[in-house]
Amino acid sequence: MKTSLMNKTVKHDRLNVPNSWRVFPAMLILLLFSGVLATAQSLPVVSVRFNNPQFDCPTQTYCLDVEFQSTTADDTLFGINLRFFYDDNILEYLGTSDFAMGYSMPEPPEITTGGGGVFFGLAGPPEWVNGSVQLTSETDIELPVGGDNWVKLFKICFHVDDPASLQIKNFCPSIIWDLQEDPPEIGGGFLPGDDGVVMTVVDPANQTESMATTEVVVQFNWVYGGNPNGYGHPVSEVCTSTFCGYIIPVSNWALFLGIGLMFVATLFIYRRRMS
């Protein structure tokens, strides 16, 4: 669990202290320990992943579904701090769309480009997307529980900037969730002072508020470790084809049809003369 940057209310209850000061320290320790243990046990574990890559040839657009699941039943996602990295030489963030019922992105994300690609094993500079998706109206969507059960809540699209990434069979870009392998309680992201990916779920006791979760990310074409200079390195696990072949624009069909007819007529006249 990390500090949520989204709507989360912390309530304080007054503690009735016994008259005897001798029993106070023992009771306080017991209460604190029990509270921490109960909180740790009650937190749902919510996972997020990129999945189902889609490539559109005419626009050179690469899209990924963003999917969620939980370890407990009846959880509804309240919001996510949408933070991830990618190689700016290969991709360019276009937008977030195709939201499930009730969800939206209140504001466009902040996008920052800088050095440090070596820490992620990227050839180019990493670009950092920092935004949020929240529940802004009623929904009946509950997160599926574990296994291969996932639900798509929105998708993210990029423009493929790298010419070398086009017309190939296996296009496997790394999209890196901003969460350390073993995140601390505060500051679990890769950048200084960055909480990383934070998710909350709807508080069943108060439908207008949210409660914290334990966040899990499934990295996309990237794994932790194996990089002596940083956090991890790219792998080719989920790939798609960007090979489109040569598509003749509709406006040029008349020209190609005329050239074809001229070739046929020339061949016919040539054969007549030879005979």
Side-chain angles (χ1 to χ4, degrees):
M1 181 187 73
K2 299 182 297 302
T3 303
S4 174
L5 301 186
M6 293 170 289
N7 184 17
K8 184 170 68 174
T9 301
V10 179
K11 299 180 179 179
H12 300 275
D13 296 324
R14 179 170 298 181
L15 179 65
N16 293 322
V17 180
N19 294 329
S20 174
W21 64 271
R22 292 188 177 90
V23 298
F24 174 72
M27 290 191 63
L28 181 59
I29 292 174
L30 180 61
L31 287 171
L32 290 175
F33 179 78
S34 300
V36 171
L37 183 60
T39 301
Q41 291 177 341
S42 61
L43 283 181
V45 178
V46 177
S47 300
V48 60
R49 72 175 184 180
F50 294 115
N51 192 37
N52 187 31
Q54 310 129 50
F55 181 73
D56 181 70
C57 285
T59 61
Q60 297 178 202
T61 301
Y62 179 77
C63 297
L64 293 166
D65 294 342
V66 183
E67 301 176 340
F68 299 81
Q69 67 173 208
S70 180
T71 57
T72 54
D74 305 324
D75 285 334
T76 295
L77 184 77
F78 183 85
I80 175 174
N81 283 351
L82 193 64
R83 294 169 175 159
F84 56 87
F85 299 87
Y86 57 85
D87 190 333
D88 185 46
N89 285 352
I90 297 177
L91 300 173
E92 190 67 36
Y93 174 82
L94 288 179
T96 302
S97 61
D98 202 12
F99 294 99
M101 179 181 63
Y103 293 94
S104 66
M105 176 174 279
E107 297 179 357
E110 297 178 0
I111 301 178
T112 306
T113 307
V118 63
F119 296 116
F120 300 103
L122 303 177
E127 194 151 78
W128 184 54
V129 175
N130 177 20
S132 66
V133 172
Q134 292 186 335
L135 185 64
T136 53
S137 62
E138 292 187 5
T139 186
D140 57 3
I141 300 174
E142 294 180 351
L143 302 182
V145 178
D148 294 328
N149 303 308
W150 296 81
V151 62
K152 171 189 171 184
L153 296 185
F154 52 92
K155 74 176 182 180
I156 294 176
C157 291
F158 306 85
H159 183 265
V160 180
D161 290 343
D162 180 23
S165 297
L166 301 173
Q167 302 291 342
I168 60 175
K169 182 178 180 180
N170 292 315
F171 179 54
C172 324
S174 299
I175 318 292
I176 306 162
W177 288 108
D178 183 16
L179 192 64
Q180 298 177 38
E181 183 175 14
D182 186 17
E185 184 74 12
I186 298 176
F190 290 110
L191 303 178
D194 168 25
D195 280 338
V197 176
V198 177
M199 292 182 281
T200 57
V201 294
V202 174
D203 184 354
N206 186 346
Q207 296 296 313
T208 63
E209 299 294 345
S210 65
M211 56 185 293
T213 69
T214 297
E215 296 89 354
V216 174
V217 298
V218 180
Q219 296 291 2
F220 186 79
N221 288 331
W222 189 86
V223 294
Y224 296 104
N227 182 351
N229 298 313
Y231 311 113
H233 65 281
V235 293
S236 298
E237 293 180 334
V238 184
C239 305
T240 190
S241 173
T242 61
F243 183 78
C244 304
Y246 182 71
I247 302 175
I248 300 174
V250 175
S251 59
N252 292 341
W253 271 109
L255 175 62
F256 281 90
L257 181 61
I259 294 174
L261 291 175
M262 290 177 61
F263 175 78
V264 171
T266 301
L267 181 63
F268 176 77
I269 294 173
Y270 176 76
R271 295 187 63 181
R272 287 287 300 270
R273 288 182 176 179
M274 291 296 294
S275 61

